[in-house]
Amino acid sequence: MLIPHDTRIALDTVVDLVNTAPESEPPPDDPADTPVDGLADVAALYAFAERHHISGVGTLGEKDLAAVRDVRARFAEVFAAPDPRTAADLVNRLVAAAGTTPQLTDHDGYDWHVHYFAPDASIADHLAADCGMALAFIIVAGEQERLRRCEAPDCGHAFVDLSRNRSRRYCSSRTCGNRLHVAAYRARRKEAAG
């Protein structure tokens, strides 16, 4: 599957955004622990915008934080959608609410690419438009099943499976995948020894 560079960046951004939600955190070992919201405050929102090089952010406040959290929740619904029609409906509503105005741009040393948000859009509308269109690209390609959640029982992070044969099961083969393989190996060894 050939994905343009700007679409890939938007997919990485939407995955990271969805994974900031407390419900995407592993269940706590200690019931007193509560999952942490990766967008707990405006400072975290600024850090997210900087990490993803979101242009034209300006001054952010509590209203922006609430709006981005709402967009995040709607993106999580797209990852949980049972079929392409449901996912398409969710994406259509997100993109329409953002008031998309596609335009070609070549800023900050990047080649020509399309921005789908209005020039003075809020950060929530920026994310809804650009990330929503990236998800639309996946749905239009008939690849909605690539929008997944990690199968590790103690995880749940979102990811986009870009493997050739759509076989990726974990958000990270280095962490979740490796941890489960090691646990299975140890269980087999223990069973063989016992």
Side-chain angles (χ1 to χ4, degrees):
M1 167 182 230
L2 182 62
I3 300 176
H5 177 71
D6 54 320
T7 301
R8 178 58 196 252
I9 289 171
L11 289 172
D12 291 344
T13 301
V14 72
V15 164
D16 192 30
L17 179 62
V18 169
N19 289 337
T20 64
E23 58 270 12
S24 72
E25 289 295 310
D29 293 332
D30 180 353
D33 292 339
T34 56
V36 177
D37 190 332
L39 294 178
D41 53 30
V42 175
L45 181 57
Y46 273 115
F48 179 88
E50 185 176 321
R51 186 169 60 250
H52 290 285
H53 308 287
I54 299 173
S55 59
V57 170
T59 303
L60 299 175
E62 292 295 327
K63 183 178 175 182
D64 296 297
L65 180 61
V68 170
R69 285 179 177 163
D70 179 59
V71 167
R72 174 182 70 185
R74 294 193 286 156
F75 279 137
E77 291 176 14
V78 174
F79 276 83
D83 56 68
R85 184 164 306 284
T86 304
D89 182 53
L90 292 165
V91 168
N92 283 339
R93 284 189 272 147
L94 264 166
V95 171
T100 57
T101 56
Q103 59 184 328
L104 288 168
T105 184
D106 67 340
H107 63 89
D108 299 329
Y110 293 106
D111 287 334
W112 288 104
H113 59 282
V114 180
H115 279 188
Y116 295 97
F117 55 92
D120 293 325
S122 69
I123 188 170
D125 286 346
H126 179 136
L127 291 167
D130 265 7
C131 296
M133 290 305 296
L135 293 173
F137 176 86
I138 297 293
I139 296 165
V140 165
E143 303 286 350
Q144 186 247 341
E145 73 274 3
R146 290 183 183 271
L147 305 177
R148 298 196 174 156
R149 290 288 187 160
C150 184
E151 291 182 19
D154 58 347
C155 188
H157 279 146
F159 67 94
V160 179
D161 178 4
L162 296 177
S163 66
R164 211 176 266 246
N165 61 357
R166 297 176 195 88
S167 62
R168 188 170 157 199
R169 298 174 52 209
Y170 307 110
C171 63
S172 169
S173 59
R174 288 185 183 162
T175 54
C176 289
N178 190 47
R179 188 169 29 81
L180 288 175
H181 290 296
V182 168
Y185 170 77
R186 288 181 178 156
R188 286 191 305 272
R189 299 268 301 177
K190 185 177 179 180
E191 187 178 304

